[in-house]
Amino acid sequence: MKESSMFPSRPARSILVAAVLALLGTIVSPPARSGLAYQTPDPVLVDIIDAPKTPRGRIGPNREWMLLRHLPGYPSIEELAEPELRLGGVRFSPRTNGPSRSWSYEKLSLVRIRDRTTVPIEGLPEKPRIENARFSPDGARIAFTQTVRDGIELWVVEIATAKARRLTPSILHLVADEPPRWMPDGRSLIATIVPEGREAPPEAPLVPDGPVTQENLGKEAPARTYQDLLESPHDEALFAHHLTAQLARIDLEGTVERIGPPEMIWSYDPSPDGRYLLVEALHRPFSYIVPAYRFPRRIEIRDLDGAVVQTIADLPLQEEIPIAYGSVATGPRQVRWRADADAQLCWAEALDGGDAGAEAELRDRILLLEAPFADEPAPLIDLPLRFRGVDWGSDDLALVNAYWWKTRTVQSWRVRPGSPGAEPVLLVDRSWEDRYNDPGNPVTERNDRGRPVLLTSPNGEAIYLIGDGASPEGNRPFLDRFDLAERETTRLFRSEAPYYERPLVLLDPEARAILTLRESVTEVPNLFVRDLENETLAPLTSFPHPYPMLVGIEKELIRYERDDGVALSATLYLPPGRSPEEGPFPMLMWAYPREYKDADAAGQIDDSPYRFDRVGWWSPVLWLTQGYAVLDGPTMPIVGEGDAEPNDTFVEQLVASARAAVDEVVRRGVADPDRIAIGGHSYGAFMTANLLAHSDLFAAGLARTGAYNRTLTPFGFQSEERTLWEAPEVYFAMSPFLHADKVNEPILLVHGEADNNPGTFPMQSERFYNALKGHGATTRLVLLPHESHSYRARESILHLVWETQEWLDRYVKEAEKIAP
């Protein structure tokens, strides 16, 4: 019998309920704000947070020198509170004309690889804020940017003398986060600088000229939930003012030669031969629903005087890209220089209208266009999947990489750029979920123009591959030689227990010696030179153990099964000096769910029991010092095989995975079932809230920077491609906000007040807190001032750890203990 039109259908009722509850969330009063000052946790936790950070290495051309970049401690809240503008999805400092949330270095030093001599770099400014350190193509110099109070300077280091000197005053313009680039001769750099005589930024009108309006004339323009978008004509004016910059060439004497007029430069890159500039510049109309990277833009080839040689494309506003994963804009995209040629462009164009949801035999065409750019572009290859990038080698060798989200497929094709009619050869065709059969990534090196190209064997017949080496016994990184003609692989190196050793750089084309990063559970990662021919190993660095208080922790990679047969794994830690026989302990589980199309792939191990643990505010390993056992990364696979979508049974699979983890640690006698907490960050926070709403497995929850109401992300989230209107039951079932009445365990909600991650607006935590409070739950909301999706300020981090310590001690450690 036909259902009466007086009553909505079940999907319509679900949408109606979700919409009403979402509306109720908007009208609930905001949470009470306390005047609590920043707090400090246990001193041992402070010592871990403040532990010196291991320097980061970068190998220079010719593999002669390695640059070490030394990180300072966490910045202060005062630094984080400095003025910041958030426009068009871009966050920047109006005072310095650069990114407002980047990480800087406080010191640079050099290590000569052949004799392992460390050379400090002299002449650095006092209390430097160093970023964008890059070797020149010939390896004779390093350029870097230095942020000062009123702007950004350009500096250079002469490697022969290990001395730094300033090239320019604070004139660099890095709002678009495009660092200076070396010209191929290594004698000058191309950079964007502040326009001469720039006027003051436009002031906000005291009285508006009229309402802010938006209009759509029947076109579908679905957009995910972006943040920091433009909202008014004044925002548009501010964005245009602050993004406008001027290209310039800066030589080693500090002479600045301006190139072309000021404009909204989004990206730029000199050609490998140094004769041309590839420039992308934004223009109006702007958008209030998508970020700047989807604004209209002109892609042009210019000479070094700034004159336009050829316009590659003038792309319109990209508001109408379909929502299906793998959808792209039409027209040229990923326009890049071919790394191994003088001046040849490569780009992709969609053959399916850019719509990944449309049926199509071919998805993308890859095109080449050579200087002087007057001819029609020549096709290189037509792809059945979506283009991802090219590894360039020579006229006879390039690897074109493609992917397809729906099937989790990746492909790699060998092409011959110098022979347009040559038939492409398919080298790789696999699921990226199948980590056990991942062949690794091709090894590249910088050529004499500073461009990354494939490293081949001396005869040119083989390439090298470095991979994680996922296996049932854990990750074992490897180095392989791959014969291109025979398509056969020869293993040159594989990490051996009890170490985790990853090849980084081949020190010669014959792969006789490699630079590796070697670590173990008790040994901090250090760089080594491994001679494969003579089977010797020599340390290049000797970084100390940063956490002596964690020496002696028990660590084990454990395996267990879900009730549906899906294999699961996790890393189990016991407090220092404690054995399983001394359990059960109070426990913290920290996890993050992931979606899969294949159950067997979901059960594969993707970790190593031999890695050294980097411990910071984000790490659950912190809590070993407080007497807790820790289960880190218990896998929470959400599987949807065939035509099924993973999220159709999200809650059921999530609870089943969590139950299997709890059962395993209880069976082992290391966890008290009444004193286990669950926690996670971002999608892990979403997971935490769902587990507390739909199970009684945990004593308490820790949820950081999550999203809890999926009706506020109606055009998809995480790996969910369907919209709210296509799958209302899924959005309803997966939204812990809509099940707040079922949460009967204490939950600590933490969120950065300036979170700019798509979908995780701070109001997600605020509304969830209000819903929980309205139903009498035990909950606490902590909003960290000036913090984004991740946290930066030392005061914020220490307070976060204090809040966590108080919560765990009160609701987990001191909870009713298991009966003897």
Side-chain angles (χ1 to χ4, degrees):
M1 182 176 178
K2 186 176 180 180
E3 189 176 38
S4 170
S5 60
M6 292 179 63
F7 299 96
S9 64
R10 183 179 176 186
R13 287 199 302 272
S14 298
I15 295 175
L16 180 61
V17 170
V20 169
L21 289 172
L23 178 60
L24 288 174
T26 68
I27 61 177
V28 172
S29 60
R33 309 277 177 143
S34 73
L36 181 65
Y38 288 109
Q39 300 294 305
T40 303
D42 187 286
V44 70
L45 297 172
V46 176
D47 289 343
I48 293 175
I49 298 299
D50 288 340
K53 296 175 174 57
T54 301
R56 297 177 180 177
R58 173 171 288 173
I59 305 299
N62 308 319
R63 310 172 189 89
E64 183 179 359
W65 291 95
M66 178 176 66
L67 174 68
L68 288 182
R69 298 160 291 167
H70 301 258
L71 285 160
Y74 291 106
S76 69
I77 192 65
E78 181 181 7
E79 182 178 329
L80 209 63
E82 291 177 356
E84 176 185 65
L85 288 178
R86 306 165 188 168
L87 299 168
V90 181
R91 291 188 170 187
F92 59 93
S93 165
R95 193 182 66 219
T96 66
N97 299 298
S100 54
R101 293 177 180 265
S102 54
W103 292 98
S104 60
Y105 303 100
E106 63 177 359
K107 190 173 74 170
L108 301 175
S109 58
L110 291 164
V111 178
R112 188 161 42 217
I113 294 174
R114 69 171 181 271
D115 59 9
R116 302 184 290 282
T117 301
T118 299
V119 181
I121 292 176
E122 300 177 353
L124 295 172
E126 187 178 354
K127 295 182 179 178
R129 292 174 61 183
I130 296 168
E131 297 177 58
N132 304 308
R134 296 187 175 189
F135 282 93
S136 60
D138 60 5
R141 298 171 186 86
I142 296 167
F144 65 87
T145 62
Q146 151 71 358
T147 301
V148 295
R149 181 84 183 157
D150 65 345
I152 304 173
E153 305 167 340
L154 180 61
W155 285 62
V156 69
V157 176
E158 300 288 344
I159 291 182
T161 61
K163 290 184 178 179
R165 57 189 173 89
R166 192 179 77 161
L167 285 186
T168 72
S170 53
I171 61 171
L172 294 189
H173 184 285
L174 303 184
V175 171
D177 205 12
E178 288 287 288
R181 287 174 167 77
W182 283 102
M183 291 292 280
D185 62 2
R187 305 295 304 176
S188 62
L189 299 102
I190 301 294
T192 41
I193 62 174
V194 177
E196 270 187 314
R198 183 173 69 167
E199 298 179 353
E203 295 185 2
L206 296 176
V207 178
D209 294 329
V212 175
T213 61
Q214 299 184 59
E215 182 178 56
N216 187 61
L217 301 177
K219 294 183 177 180
E220 289 190 7
R224 290 183 177 254
T225 313
Y226 299 109
Q227 306 210 40
D228 297 342
L229 299 176
L230 300 181
E231 296 180 354
S232 68
H234 177 63
D235 279 356
E236 294 189 51
L238 273 179
F239 177 83
H241 171 86
H242 286 288
L243 198 75
T244 297
Q246 190 167 19
L247 284 166
R249 184 171 183 171
I250 304 168
D251 67 21
L252 296 178
E253 303 304 317
T255 303
V256 178
E257 178 188 349
R258 294 176 184 268
I259 302 173
E263 57 191 323
M264 288 183 284
I265 297 171
W266 189 246
S267 69
Y268 60 92
D269 191 18
S271 60
D273 65 2
R275 290 188 297 156
Y276 303 98
L277 296 173
L278 171 63
V279 180
E280 294 192 21
L282 305 184
H283 62 80
R284 295 175 187 271
F286 299 149
S287 172
Y288 291 9
I289 68 169
V290 296
Y293 67 83
R294 290 171 63 173
F295 287 2
R297 73 191 58 207
R298 283 185 299 277
I299 305 175
E300 296 175 336
I301 303 299
R302 303 180 187 176
D303 63 25
L304 296 186
D305 294 322
V308 176
V309 176
Q310 186 65 263
T311 298
I312 303 301
D314 190 349
L315 301 175
L317 180 63
Q318 297 173 5
E319 284 187 342
E320 299 162 21
I321 298 176
I323 204 72
Y325 279 31
S327 295
V328 295
T330 56
R333 71 178 200 280
Q334 297 189 51
V335 183
R336 304 286 187 271
W337 294 113
R338 179 179 156 188
D340 61 322
D342 288 341
Q344 190 174 44
L345 286 178
C346 173
W347 69 82
E349 293 191 22
L351 297 175
D352 59 359
D355 186 356
E359 294 293 328
E361 202 171 308
L362 296 171
R363 296 291 176 180
D364 275 344
R365 173 167 294 159
I366 314 306
L367 299 161
L368 297 175
L369 182 61
E370 194 167 8
F373 316 108
D375 297 331
E376 289 295 313
L380 176 64
I381 183 175
D382 288 350
L383 295 170
L385 310 182
R386 191 67 78 208
F387 175 66
R388 188 164 65 175
V390 184
D391 296 305
W392 299 105
S394 65
D395 275 347
D396 193 50
L397 174 64
L399 301 179
V400 177
N401 305 303
Y403 76 97
W404 196 244
W405 167 260
K406 202 72 175 177
T407 57
R408 310 304 197 263
T409 301
V410 288
Q411 291 181 342
S412 184
W413 298 79
R414 178 187 177 164
V415 297
R416 291 177 164 82
S419 304
E423 189 72 19
V425 177
L426 182 62
L427 298 180
V428 175
D429 187 8
R430 53 178 288 271
S431 166
W432 73 65
E433 292 184 343
D434 181 9
R435 297 181 293 274
Y436 289 178
N437 290 300
D438 185 349
N441 297 313
V443 175
T444 62
E445 64 174 350
R446 297 276 173 178
N447 63 15
D448 57 5
R449 290 166 166 174
R451 302 281 172 160
V453 295
L454 290 167
L455 177 64
T456 59
S457 59
N459 61 11
E461 295 177 358
I463 61 174
Y464 299 97
L465 302 169
I466 291 176
D468 290 332
S471 71
E473 64 264 28
N475 287 359
R476 296 179 60 189
F478 64 82
L479 169 67
D480 286 349
R481 180 189 289 114
F482 179 73
D483 187 290
L484 291 163
E486 301 298 327
R487 300 190 217 174
E488 292 181 350
T489 297
T490 302
R491 179 131 300 169
L492 304 178
F493 169 79
R494 190 183 189 195
S495 180
E496 297 287 346
Y499 290 95
Y500 178 88
E501 187 173 359
R502 180 171 178 79
L504 299 178
V505 177
L506 275 66
L507 297 178
D508 67 277
E510 295 180 355
R512 292 172 299 191
I514 57 176
L515 186 69
T516 70
L517 190 67
R518 190 172 191 251
E519 61 192 274
S520 72
V521 174
T522 58
E523 296 178 30
V524 68
N526 270 289
L527 293 160
F528 287 78
V529 175
R530 177 174 284 280
D531 188 323
L532 298 177
E533 195 171 50
N534 298 309
E535 299 184 350
T536 61
L537 187 67
L540 188 62
T541 60
S542 55
F543 303 128
H545 197 304
Y547 325 113
M549 66 289 291
L550 289 173
V551 172
I553 61 174
E554 292 286 333
K555 178 180 180 180
E556 181 185 358
L557 180 64
I558 66 172
R559 301 168 178 81
Y560 50 100
E561 262 192 17
R562 205 162 71 181
D563 57 10
D564 60 358
V566 174
L568 304 175
S569 62
T571 302
L572 174 64
Y573 297 86
L574 298 183
R578 309 295 290 274
S579 67
E581 291 74 22
E582 297 178 69
F585 305 97
M587 173 175 276
L588 171 62
M589 290 187 183
W590 197 263
Y592 191 96
R594 299 187 184 278
E595 299 83 356
Y596 293 88
K597 292 299 292 180
D598 182 88
D600 290 338
Q604 292 182 351
I605 303 294
D606 188 25
D607 199 357
S608 168
Y610 305 117
R611 299 206 68 171
F612 182 83
D613 288 293
R614 289 289 184 193
V615 184
W617 64 267
W618 63 88
S619 173
V621 176
L622 276 175
W623 304 105
L624 295 174
T625 66
Q626 305 301 302
Y628 293 87
V630 168
L631 194 69
D632 190 22
T635 49
M636 302 278 179
I638 311 299
V639 183
E641 294 189 305
D643 293 332
E645 291 293 335
N647 286 340
D648 289 345
T649 53
F650 176 88
V651 169
E652 295 88 338
Q653 294 192 63
L654 187 68
V655 171
S657 296
R659 181 179 294 112
V662 168
D663 288 347
E664 178 64 16
V665 294
V666 171
R667 182 191 68 79
R668 288 170 173 261
V670 295
D672 178 341
D674 295 323
R675 296 191 297 156
I676 302 176
I678 183 67
H681 188 96
S682 192
Y683 211 56
F686 172 73
M687 168 208 73
T688 297
N690 266 305
L691 285 173
L692 296 190
H694 298 291
S695 78
D696 291 309
L697 294 167
F698 301 100
L702 305 170
R704 298 176 187 166
T705 311
Y708 310 102
N709 182 354
R710 286 304 167 196
T711 69
L712 298 178
T713 55
F715 285 102
F717 57 89
Q718 200 72 3
S719 296
E720 179 56 63
E721 296 181 86
R722 296 167 295 182
T723 71
L724 167 64
W725 298 273
E726 293 171 318
E729 289 88 355
V730 170
Y731 278 68
F732 184 92
M734 290 180 68
S735 294
F737 174 84
L738 303 179
H739 301 275
D741 58 323
K742 302 174 187 174
V743 176
N744 54 14
E745 298 88 7
I747 181 169
L748 175 65
L749 303 172
V750 180
H751 216 117
E753 280 192 333
D755 189 355
N756 67 335
N757 184 62
T760 55
F761 288 101
M763 68 177 177
Q764 287 273 7
S765 288
E766 292 175 328
R767 293 181 181 180
F768 189 40
Y769 171 82
N770 285 326
L772 292 167
K773 184 176 181 179
H775 287 91
T778 298
T779 183
R780 180 177 174 86
L781 172 63
V782 180
L783 296 174
L784 298 173
H786 305 293
E787 296 291 353
S788 186
H789 194 61
S790 186
Y791 314 139
R792 292 170 58 93
R794 182 176 182 271
E795 293 88 343
S796 302
I797 289 166
L798 292 179
H799 186 87
L800 165 73
V801 175
W802 176 82
E803 293 276 4
T804 305
Q805 183 179 13
E806 293 289 307
W807 201 258
L808 288 175
D809 285 353
R810 182 184 305 169
Y811 296 112
V812 181
K813 183 181 285 187
E814 300 305 323
E816 184 177 351
K817 297 179 174 61
I818 189 170

